[in-house]
Amino acid sequence: MRRTAEEAAQTRRALLEAALEVFAERGYAAATLSGIAARAGLTRGAVYHHFTDKAELYLATIAENWGAAAAPVWAHLEDTDAAPQERIRRFLVAFFTAFEKNFALRTTFAMSMQGSELPELQVGLEDKRRVMDAWAAQLAALLRAGVDRHGEVVPPESGAIAIIAAVNGVAATWLACPGLFSPARQAEALAQAVLHGILPRQE
């Protein structure tokens, strides 16, 4: 009997969930398709039905889990009811909080960092670079709107890169030294520290 589209989608989702766990535990090099299939309660053949190889599965795991986990965080940048600086502050607080508490967000972030060092994943990670370009442009537009009202401290494009670098730096530092601080508990202070030198304080 041919599998229905719904059954195929459920199998693919199960593989992506299992892959997220296995890649988080073992890393790209040590993870195996057999191990991922076993974690999902499926056969290795089921993996090859949906994915050509481990690299394709790795990239799909990043793309699909990151999108779902990050959407509520990025939504703060789209909130047109708030002032530009406030939208960025809320985004930063949400990211730092979710990074510690949301397994999918944290793991896919770590996976994308590891993947950037692996030649076989470079083509797939072009999507990540496009997302980063769009993110930088969005942040720069918000900063530009903010400085129009409050006076320029740093150029908006440089400020956007500084925000991205700070977010990545905090995340990478916590991954390397999780006992050093708590992004969730210190989210507000971290957000204010990031913004302090980019936009002036509002009176």
Side-chain angles (χ1 to χ4, degrees):
M1 181 183 296
R2 293 174 62 90
R3 293 185 302 171
T4 65
E6 182 179 355
E7 289 172 335
Q10 290 174 346
T11 297
R12 190 176 190 278
R13 186 67 240 165
L15 288 169
L16 290 170
E17 291 174 357
L20 186 66
E21 296 176 0
V22 174
F23 284 130
E25 293 168 8
R26 301 181 60 82
Y28 179 80
T32 65
L33 294 180
S34 295
I36 292 169
R39 181 70 62 92
L42 298 165
T43 65
R44 183 167 173 166
V47 180
Y48 282 115
H49 179 79
H50 291 276
F51 305 100
T52 303
D53 53 24
K54 185 166 68 170
E56 184 180 353
L57 176 55
Y58 192 84
L59 292 167
T61 301
I62 294 173
E64 299 194 23
N65 284 287
W66 173 266
V73 176
W74 260 255
H76 291 285
L77 296 177
E78 308 290 346
D79 181 9
T80 55
D81 291 334
Q85 184 170 348
E86 176 62 13
R87 289 158 68 177
I88 298 172
R89 186 197 66 79
R90 292 178 185 176
F91 157 74
L92 290 168
V93 170
F95 180 88
F96 294 135
T97 300
F99 192 79
E100 183 172 348
K101 295 183 176 296
N102 188 307
F103 173 78
L105 182 67
R106 179 173 64 254
T107 300
T108 51
F109 178 91
M111 288 172 63
S112 69
M113 290 183 66
Q114 180 189 35
S116 65
E117 301 173 358
L118 300 170
E120 63 267 41
L121 300 178
Q122 289 304 302
V123 173
L125 288 174
E126 289 177 1
D127 289 339
K128 175 186 174 183
R129 298 184 185 99
R130 283 191 288 271
V131 169
M132 294 296 282
D133 287 343
W135 182 20
Q138 186 177 26
L139 287 168
L142 289 174
L143 290 171
R144 191 174 297 109
V147 299
D148 284 345
R149 288 194 304 235
H150 305 299
E152 184 172 349
V153 174
V154 297
E157 291 75 14
S158 299
I161 296 302
I163 290 172
I164 293 172
V167 166
N168 287 337
V170 168
T173 300
W174 188 73
L175 286 172
C177 308
L180 184 62
F181 65 102
S182 166
R185 287 199 303 272
Q186 297 172 240
E188 184 66 49
L190 289 168
Q192 295 294 350
V194 171
L195 288 173
H196 178 69
I198 297 172
L199 284 177
R201 294 179 182 274
Q202 298 184 33
E203 299 298 333

